[in-house]
Each structure stands twice: as C-alpha cells, then as structure tokens.
Amino acid sequence: MSKVLLVVGHPDLSRSKANAALVDAVRELAHVTVHDLYAAYPDFRIDVDAEQALLAEHDVIVFQHPVFWYNTTPLFKQWQDKVFTLGWAFTMDGSPSQLAGKKAVVAVTAGVPADHYTPEGSNKTTLETLLSNWHATLRLCQFDIQPMVELYGTAFGLSDQDLATAGKQYNELLASFAA
C-alpha cells in the first residue's frame, strides 16, 4: 500500500473553509498522513531532518495550499527552501535524489473563480502558468508529477455542496494511491 503525505501550508486551517474541507475529506484514510506546517512550525523554525524523514517514509506527496499572490504561502516557501536541499532532494549530476520517482500532487485553492485564470480573464494567464515554479521544483527533485488539483472561487462563498463535491473528488484521488 502506498503511503501518502499531505503537506498542508495554510496559515490558519481552523479559519479556512475550503482547505479544511479538503483535509477533512481525506483525514480518515488510513494510508494518508496529514502534516499541517503552520501547526508544526508556528515559529517558522523548520526541523529539516524530521521533514526529510517524513518525505522519505511516503510514496506520494501532496502539497496543498491556498494561492497567495500567485504563489505558495510564506512558511511553505521557507519549507521548500530548507527541506529541498542539494544532494538530498535534487542532484546536479543527474544521479537519483531521495525523492526520485515519488508521486507529487500540487493541490491549490484560489479565491477567485476559474474564469479569472484564463488568457481573457483578469489574471491574463492560467493558474498552472502562475504556479509553474512548482512544476520546475518537482521536476528538479525528480518527482513523478501528477495533475494539479484546483479549487476556485473560495473567497466567493462556495456552497456546502461545492465543498462536499470537491472533498469527495479529493478523497477519491488520494484513495486511488492506496493500491
């Protein structure tokens, strides 16, 4: 059975409706470990050895966060900078990293509706393009990159039904990695 690590980078999960709904939808899956970065490191002092050990113990890594200024949240960015180290998370000579072949999923929530993230929309580009730094990072670390999970319109009052549907789909995705 593949073990899934869900690394959550929401600054206050207790005040989040969408990110909390996604986490709650998968929390009971036996093969999923939920790791809330802001709960673990309120002082932003990241234990690199512990984080690398967690990554090493899991086969699938899901990186979940709200979109902050077309990027990840501050602690999540710091986590990347500290944990994804040369020689461990990536190599320059092409030799396998400690993360090589692990599946990676980026799961994001965006405050505005999806039509804002189109060439015609207010952002004039897609969310995938704005978050291309994730793809580049995961590729450098030799992850097996899976399709991005996106939940739009979170600041515009998604209905309980919308959140339930998103949670069900998230649960099904993470459950599919158990095989």
Side-chain angles (χ1 to χ4, degrees):
M1 176 182 293
S2 292
K3 291 175 63 179
V4 176
L5 176 62
L6 173 56
V7 183
V8 182
H10 190 288
D12 188 353
L13 205 51
S14 70
R15 292 175 39 124
S16 167
K17 193 170 180 183
N19 276 273
L22 294 177
V23 170
D24 288 346
V26 300
R27 194 180 295 279
E28 300 303 318
L29 294 174
H31 67 288
V32 174
T33 301
V34 176
H35 183 44
D36 180 348
L37 291 180
Y38 280 86
Y41 302 111
D43 59 1
F44 278 58
R45 293 188 178 157
I46 296 166
D47 182 339
V48 173
D49 291 336
E51 294 302 307
Q52 289 177 341
L54 259 178
L55 290 167
E57 294 168 7
H58 291 82
D59 310 295
V60 180
I61 315 299
V62 180
F63 302 99
Q64 179 186 320
H65 63 87
V67 176
F68 270 36
W69 289 107
Y70 313 109
N71 209 322
T72 187
T73 57
L75 180 56
F76 218 144
K77 176 61 172 99
Q78 182 174 325
W79 182 91
Q80 290 172 329
D81 292 343
K82 299 284 188 184
V83 175
F84 290 162
T85 58
L86 174 62
W88 191 86
F90 67 97
T91 65
M92 298 311 290
D93 63 4
S95 61
S97 73
Q98 297 298 309
L99 301 172
K102 292 181 183 283
K103 290 183 175 166
V105 176
V106 175
V108 296
T109 59
V112 297
D115 63 356
H116 286 244
Y117 289 103
T118 64
E120 301 77 29
S122 61
N123 289 313
K124 303 294 182 205
T125 191
T126 66
L127 190 55
E128 292 83 2
T129 299
L130 290 167
L131 296 176
S132 62
N133 57 323
W134 259 122
H135 193 269
T137 299
L138 298 176
R139 188 175 57 250
L140 178 66
C141 294
Q142 304 170 1
F143 278 104
D144 175 3
I145 304 169
Q146 305 297 300
M148 185 180 283
V149 173
E150 301 148 349
L151 180 58
Y152 294 96
T154 61
F156 289 85
L158 290 176
S159 70
D160 289 342
Q161 182 59 45
D162 291 336
L163 290 173
T165 299
K168 181 178 184 293
Q169 291 169 344
Y170 202 48
N171 178 288
E172 289 169 357
L173 173 66
L174 271 57
S176 74
F177 293 119

